[in-house]
Amino acid sequence: MKNHCRVAACVLFLLICQSSILPQSRAELPPYKNPALPIEKRVEDLVSRMTLEEKVSQMLNKAAAIERLDIPAYDWWNEALHGVARAGTATVFPQAIGLAATWDTDLMHRVADVISTEARAKYNDFARKGERGRYKGLTFWSPNINIFRDPRWGRGQETYGEDPYLTSLLGVAFVRGLQGDHPRYLKVVSTPKHYAVHSGPEPERHSFDAVASERDMRETYLPAFRATVVEGRAEGVMCAYNRTNGEPACANKQLFEILRREWAFKGHVVSDCGAIEDIYKGHRFVKTEAEASAVAVKAGTDLTCGGEYKSLVKAVKDGIITEAEIDVALKRLMRTRFRLGMFDPPEMVPFSRIPLSENDSPAHRRLALTAARESIVLLKNANKTLPLAKDLKTIAVIGPNADAPAVLLGNYNGTPSSSTTPLQGIRDKVSPETRVVYALGSTLTGEESTSGPGREKLIEESVAAARASDAVVMVLGIAPTLEGEEMKVEVKGFRGGDRTDLSLPEAQENLLKAVQATGKPVVLVLMSGSALAVNWADENVPAIVQAWYPGEEGGAAIADVLFGDYNPAGRLPVTFYKSADDLPPFEAYGMQGRTYRYFKGQPLYPFGHGLSYTRFVYGDLKTSARTIRAGASVRVSVDVRNAGERAGDEVVQLYVTDVVASVPVPIRSLQGISRVSLRPGERRRVSFTLAPSQMSVIDDQGRRVVEPGEFLISVGGKQPGFVGTADSRSTDTITRRLVVTGKPTVVP
């Protein structure tokens, strides 16, 4: 890879030197237009040529054109959570929480690479047409790497789940896939969000103060941001609406000290949309828009999504901020645009040659199907109910999500050229002789429709369909119309985009019970962006599948799993609790009692859970040493064998428990994953390296320290220590003891 980069850099230099590429000789060009100069000199020159008013115009997401300097208009606002969003037709992958359920970093990188290819293809086409509006640029405000600390948060669907380690791995893979690995140019910009302690409640986010201890900050809320900045080299970061420990996130001295100094972040920071206005209107942190703009820029927020920074001209004149301080922010923004190749001849930028035909291609649709398959989690499969036979005489497909294309897409989504619902996927999968009967059964929450049959009639139709069938597939759950970002939703179980109850809506629960009472085999397919407390179903329904919001090919993927053409291997990236009553208050940001790392109760389905149609057996767990010095790494390896009759994927999970810590620590923490494919009878040796930081604690001074003591290393196909339905699989975990000696050692 290094040799490849050197060759590419040499070729690039030769191209620069060719006068045929440049419109005029380098001697005649102003420095900022000369590609042979370092970016820093070009940025310095360009900014020095701008007036104060021009500088400020470039610090709004809708940056104005400066014709005298040949700077085109540019809108920084673009979305790419699970596909290029809001910019016309694009490939739509599973919602982020579904991508997280794959536990597959290689797949995540491939998905992000496809997204950035489609983004460049669209941008190139837009630029040729002179279209430079919103959702037509190259700076993408994705991924959302906030920790899904509480299942009631409506935007949790946009995240990679509740675990900081898994979120870090997936976040880094996504950032690298988006930005590419070219030695000079960014393919697109990735902007992890929302920095940093942000996960509801949605209705209060413009005035809410998320109070978190230094330990919770360092153990839970910050690691994924650090990873995407330090390891992923993200070019952008978005700050959040809420306050964190008293200060607005976009003007938070502690958060920016960590980001800019501790992590040496050199990129730009953009505010969430309207967050600068919140500084003075919502949080009442200062009194005026000019003061809010000045305090944000001084802290480190370079770009506003909104128009608030127009007040910076007045702020300079009033002495609230200096033009030199504005220059610091503007130079970061212009550096990003230079790295995207916006001021270089298109011939020099390899990504400028990506054609529009790369968008929504058959290959990309196939990857969407792969991702949807990998995301599906088999929660329960009593008596080998699944897979179903394709040649059953009649199958009933029932439920409000069975034939609802919009539910496939989640939020922050693009528009697929076509999509496959579960109903269509089942129809396409079964034999030509099989009759597929469809019944709506219920609306999502049981609200009365202004037309069509009422609730009782819908249930009667569903029961009749079930009785006339050999098997029933019920597609239930919730939808992006109920959970999401700051929504005007006030129905039972939902508030403002968040949830107040984890259960299935009552109307759907009643429908499920009525159909189950027919005695026919029932398979429950759940579609949601968050955990559902399906306690009755767990006790009474033989097979349960979690399909999330699975993207444009979701229905085909669900059918592949139901009928055995794909062996499911997804794993839960969140805990499925039995009730919201098991959790601390939603507004509390302390981690005790939340997520698998701190929850001491018995979940319905634990983090990391997921079944298979085959059996995996573990053995011969070894560590490179039984005793190590504090600050040393250790190698862990284990044998994994497919002992069943079907090929399949297994997600090998490594957890660490600090047995004798001097400070509060998680019950256990995920510290290694590997998704492996094994044929029947195939055995593989899977290895991990535990770095010192993975055996560390956060001490009372906020430092990350490796202490001497005893650790338990557990490896298996699931999280250790649970019983019940979630434990009904042949795989188990193996645990070994590791002793750390020496003096406490501070690590990064």
Side-chain angles (χ1 to χ4, degrees), residues 443-466:
T443 56
L444 282 169
T445 59
E447 69 275 14
E448 296 291 347
S449 174
T450 56
S451 62
R455 297 184 197 179
E456 292 184 4
K457 183 66 173 178
L458 289 174
I459 291 181
E460 289 173 6
E461 291 174 350
S462 300
V463 169

Side-chain angles (χ1 to χ4, degrees), residues 9 45 48 55 87 142 181 249 303 439 470 502 519 548 557 593 603 638 640 660 673 689 727 737:
D45 177 66
S48 72
K55 291 174 181 178
S142 304
D181 59 0
L303 180 74
D470 301 299
L502 304 184
W548 316 104
V638 68
V640 187
V660 291
I673 64 170
T689 297
D727 207 45
R737 180 173 172 269

Side-chain angles (χ1 to χ4, degrees), residues 324-633:
E325 289 172 314
I326 286 174
D327 287 351
V328 171
L330 180 58
K331 287 174 184 177
R332 294 186 187 123
L333 296 175
M334 300 315 296
R335 176 180 177 273
T336 294
R337 293 183 67 175
F338 274 102
R339 293 196 69 197
L340 286 165
M342 291 181 176
F343 296 96
D344 290 350
E347 299 92 331
M348 289 182 59
V349 186
F351 308 120
S352 68
R353 295 188 289 273
I354 297 175
L356 191 59
S357 59
E358 286 290 320
N359 184 57
D360 187 37
S361 69
H364 295 176
R365 179 170 288 275
R366 288 193 294 272
L367 185 61
L369 176 60
T370 296
R373 286 169 169 169
E374 287 201 21
S375 72
I376 293 172
V377 183
L378 181 59
L379 296 176
K380 181 184 178 183
N381 192 24
N383 304 318
K384 296 184 178 179
T385 300
L386 291 175
L388 297 172
K390 297 178 185 177
D391 58 356
L392 293 172
K393 184 177 179 181
T394 305
I395 294 177
V397 182
I398 299 170
N401 284 340
D403 197 33
V407 177
L408 299 171
L409 307 182
N411 69 1
Y412 281 87
N413 57 284
T415 303
S417 56
S418 65
S419 60
T420 305
T421 65
L423 175 62
Q424 187 60 51
I426 291 169
R427 283 175 171 162
D428 293 342
K429 184 65 60 175
V430 296
S431 71
E433 291 76 26
T434 299
R435 179 169 172 255
V436 178
V437 181
Y438 166 65
L440 176 64
S442 170
T443 56
L444 282 169
T445 59
E447 69 275 14
E448 296 291 347
S449 174
T450 56
S451 62
R455 297 184 197 179
E456 292 184 4
K457 183 66 173 178
L458 289 174
I459 291 181
E460 289 173 6
E461 291 174 350
S462 300
V463 169
R467 285 176 176 159
S469 302
D470 301 299
V472 181
V473 177
M474 301 198 69
V475 190
L476 307 180
I478 52 180
T481 54
L482 295 173
E483 59 174 347
E485 182 178 8
E486 198 176 13
M487 302 168 67
K488 295 181 180 179
V489 176
E490 297 291 342
V491 297
K492 184 178 180 182
F494 301 89
R495 173 182 175 266
D498 294 328
R499 299 168 63 193
T500 58
D501 191 326
L502 304 184
S503 304
L504 273 178
E506 186 178 3
Q508 293 189 54
E509 189 91 350
N510 292 338
L511 171 66
L512 178 61
K513 291 177 179 177
V515 172
Q516 178 69 18
T518 65
K520 296 301 177 77
V522 173
V523 176
L524 173 59
V525 177
L526 297 170
M527 297 180 72
S528 68
S530 51
L532 293 165
V534 287
N535 302 303
W536 187 89
D538 181 64
E539 294 175 359
N540 295 278
V541 176
I544 306 175
V545 171
Q546 175 67 35
W548 316 104
Y549 302 136
E552 63 184 44
E553 285 295 321
I558 289 168
D560 284 341
V561 168
L562 295 181
F563 294 96
D565 286 344
Y566 184 80
N567 189 352
R571 298 291 185 269
L572 293 180
V574 291
T575 301
F576 275 42
Y577 301 94
K578 294 179 180 179
S579 170
D581 295 338
D582 294 339
L583 293 164
F586 181 32
E587 296 77 9
Y589 268 71
M591 288 305 299
Q592 288 304 312
R594 297 186 185 283
T595 76
Y596 81 95
R597 301 169 79 219
Y598 305 97
F599 179 64
K600 296 181 180 179
Q602 189 69 27
L604 179 63
Y605 304 116
F607 171 89
H609 170 64
L611 305 179
S612 173
Y613 294 153
T614 190
R615 299 182 300 112
F616 297 97
V617 176
Y618 287 77
D620 194 26
L621 175 62
K622 291 182 179 179
T623 55
S624 56
R626 295 187 177 184
T627 301
I628 62 171
R629 299 282 294 179
S633 299

